[in-house]
Amino acid sequence: MGDPETLSGGNGLKRQLVESLFRQKKPVFHVWFQFLLLMCLALVVLCYTLFTSSLPWESFSLSEHYGRLLNQTNQAHLLPAYRVHPKHKVKLSETTKSPTVPPTGTQYHQAYAPNYHFIMDNTEVCKNKTPFLVLLVPVAPNNVAARDAIRQTWAKNSLVQGEIVLTLFMLGLSGGADVEQVQEKLKLENLQHHDLIQSNFMDTYLNLTIKTMVIMDWLATHCPTAAYAMKVDSDMFLNIDNLVIMLKKPGIPKLNYLTGMLMWNRPVLRSKNSKWYVPKELFPDPTYPTYTLGMGYIFSSDLPGKFVNVSKSITPFNIEDAYIGMCMKKLGLAPKSPPDPSQFKAYNSRYDRCEYSKIITYILGSSEELVKYWTDLKKPGPPC
């Protein structure tokens, strides 16, 4: 088109010629102008989308964030960066890929366990014997120290108080460049101990709800004949003898039974700085329904299948023990207080042999503490 300053300073003939050409090309100019305007608008939208997707998660709705994160972690095992063997890959359903809620608006699939599959399993453990109690321990793939400490202590004997007790470890997939080496080590560990179960979700803190529901799915599918099961964290001191004694007491329900350290009227934390932050979009109520603290809770064998089925109608959020409480509420059930609530303790300030001989749970600081305390508890002589 030329420089505007040149146009304003030229002679009259040149000015008339340019204006004449401009009038002739005006329709064409309008078409190109509209095209460029649309292109600019599209570019602005694209830049805005890229910019917002790179913002910290606090700057947008956690409902969108958690759905997006779950969607990413659900499918992260498909990315070349994780270099998972092709036989471990799975094509997730279209509903699983939805970042928040499928079109029906009534079913939620991020925490629906059948959307995942097991890549390492020990399905025969409940076929060869009918356990009274199955302990499922969620643990990180690379946390061998915790698994070994548990094997040396409360998982050492499969016969407790005359009852068969099985202990299994639930793992997801590890991220990072060394995933193949981690998988090979896990295979060797499982060949030695036959107690690992691994599913193809990414093993992250935000996926604890998925991990818990996969535990429930495994129990419902592969071990429905057990009388009871327990989800127990890997950093726990578990007095397994006292637990079996409790479950064998007269009057302990065999159906619809969930017990542990009960949490009543616990407020939902809305501070984005909190590790346990849950936004209103995921959980609108100000308080959680009554639930059992996630360090360790016991349930009858009929509940895992019910939890899996009802999970499709509950918005997933990352507080796994409160999520189980929501499952109970949706089923029209409620957790029950244990016969002696004082046996379920969280943290302790010091080790006391007499105290540890009476309790069922305590949270510990390390695997070394577990081995040390257990060894002392089991030494000859009365503990009190």
Side-chain angles (χ1 to χ4, degrees), residues 27-42:
V28 178
F29 170 78
H30 279 176
V31 172
W32 276 102
F33 180 77
Q34 291 173 356
F35 174 74
L36 289 173
L37 187 61
L38 288 173
M39 289 296 291
C40 290
L41 182 61

Side-chain angles (χ1 to χ4, degrees), residues 46-90:
L46 178 61
C47 291
Y48 176 80
T49 302
L50 291 174
F51 175 74
T52 54
S53 66
S54 65
L55 287 175
W57 59 269
E58 291 89 348
S59 64
F60 52 86
S61 164
L62 192 70
S63 174
E64 178 186 356
H65 158 72
Y66 187 56
R68 182 185 303 169
L69 183 58
L70 282 173
N71 187 45
Q72 291 172 349
T73 52
N74 287 352
Q75 301 178 67
H77 60 283
L78 301 177
L79 299 176
Y82 288 99
R83 300 197 300 276
V84 176
H85 193 278
K87 71 179 181 180
H88 296 164
K89 297 179 181 180
V90 61

Side-chain angles (χ1 to χ4, degrees), residues 269-335:
L269 297 181
R270 302 301 188 191
S271 170
K272 294 181 180 180
N273 297 324
S274 172
K275 179 181 179 181
W276 299 281
Y277 164 63
V278 175
K280 290 184 178 180
E281 292 91 337
L282 294 183
F283 194 88
D285 297 341
T287 59
Y288 292 116
T290 302
Y291 65 92
T292 46
L293 197 62
M295 64 178 187
Y297 46 84
I298 303 100
F299 42 93
S300 52
S301 61
D302 62 307
L303 282 180
K306 295 176 182 178
F307 289 156
V308 171
N309 289 332
V310 80
S311 68
K312 287 189 292 184
S313 61
I314 302 172
T315 311
F317 56 96
N318 55 305
I319 312 299
E320 60 90 11
D321 44 11
Y323 184 83
I324 292 296
M326 277 300 300
C327 290
M328 288 289 285
K329 182 179 179 180
K330 196 78 173 181
L331 291 168
L333 305 171

Side-chain angles (χ1 to χ4, degrees), residues 240-267:
I240 186 63
D241 289 275
N242 287 347
L243 175 58
V244 173
I245 290 170
M246 185 201 84
L247 290 173
K248 292 177 71 175
K249 286 183 176 181
I252 295 295
K254 296 186 179 350
L255 296 173
N256 297 324
Y257 184 57
L258 172 66
T259 192
M261 180 181 281
L262 265 58
M263 299 285 107
W264 291 281
N265 301 316
R266 302 299 292 182

Side-chain angles (χ1 to χ4, degrees), residues 74-78 82-92 115-120 173 179-180 182-184 186-187 198-201:
N74 287 352
Q75 301 178 67
H77 60 283
L78 301 177
Y82 288 99
R83 300 197 300 276
V84 176
H85 193 278
K87 71 179 181 180
H88 296 164
K89 297 179 181 180
V90 61
K91 183 177 181 181
L92 300 179
N115 279 337
Y116 308 90
H117 73 187
F118 298 106
I119 60 178
M120 188 181 300
L173 289 172
V179 65
E180 290 180 346
V182 172
Q183 286 300 118
E184 287 303 315
L186 289 175
K187 289 178 183 177
Q198 187 179 31
S199 181
N200 66 335
F201 61 88

